[in-house]
Each structure stands twice: as structure tokens, then as C-alpha cells.
Amino acid sequence: MAPMVHGLEAKYYGKIKFTYLDAGDSRTQGFQRALGFAYQPEVYLLDGNGKLLKKWVGFTSQEDFEAVFSQYVE
């Protein structure tokens, strides 16, 4: 999924900020717990205040991501 997600990051540059967490990094454990992380891959869409808008678990297609993104960006 990484190449597809990086492509989406380029497409939505300046509209959606993409941040990547290393699930094995102990420094991100608190954030992972707060999001309810349990399985790789997981992708979260948060608003500017950190509120969870959408969570995807497992493989997700580009079309599925963009259908949700289109609800929040122009």
C-alpha cells in the first residue's frame, strides 16, 4: 500500500497532511493506544484538531480513500 499512499500524499499535498507512525517505535505507543491501533496496516483520517474522522483497517483501495477524502477537501 505504501506506493499508493505516497501517491495520494502527493495528490493531496497542501490539503491533507500525511503523517507516518512506526508501529514498533515505543515513542508512538501512547498515540497508538489513543487511536485504538491493533493491526497493520491501519490508516486514520483526523481533522485539524485531532478528532478521528475515519479509520481504515487492512488493505484499502485508492478509490476508497478518495471517496472519503472528497467529503473533506475540495
Side-chain angles (χ1 to χ4, degrees):
M1 277 183 43
M4 182 254 301
V5 172
H6 290 296
L8 288 168
E9 181 177 17
K11 181 175 182 175
Y12 289 93
Y13 180 80
K15 296 179 181 180
I16 296 176
K17 179 181 178 185
F18 286 69
T19 303
Y20 302 90
L21 297 178
D22 179 353
D25 186 341
S26 62
R27 296 173 296 176
T28 67
Q29 295 299 310
F31 195 53
Q32 290 178 45
R33 277 192 298 279
L35 292 171
F37 175 82
Y39 179 81
Q40 283 187 318
E42 285 190 8
V43 178
Y44 307 89
L45 180 63
L46 308 173
D47 70 9
N49 296 314
K51 178 183 173 193
L52 180 64
L53 301 174
K54 175 72 176 168
K55 176 179 178 177
W56 294 271
V57 178
F59 176 81
T60 304
S61 71
Q62 181 168 336
E63 292 78 18
D64 289 341
F65 283 126
E66 292 195 275
V68 174
F69 293 172
S70 69
Q71 297 173 28
Y72 298 100
V73 298
E74 297 178 1

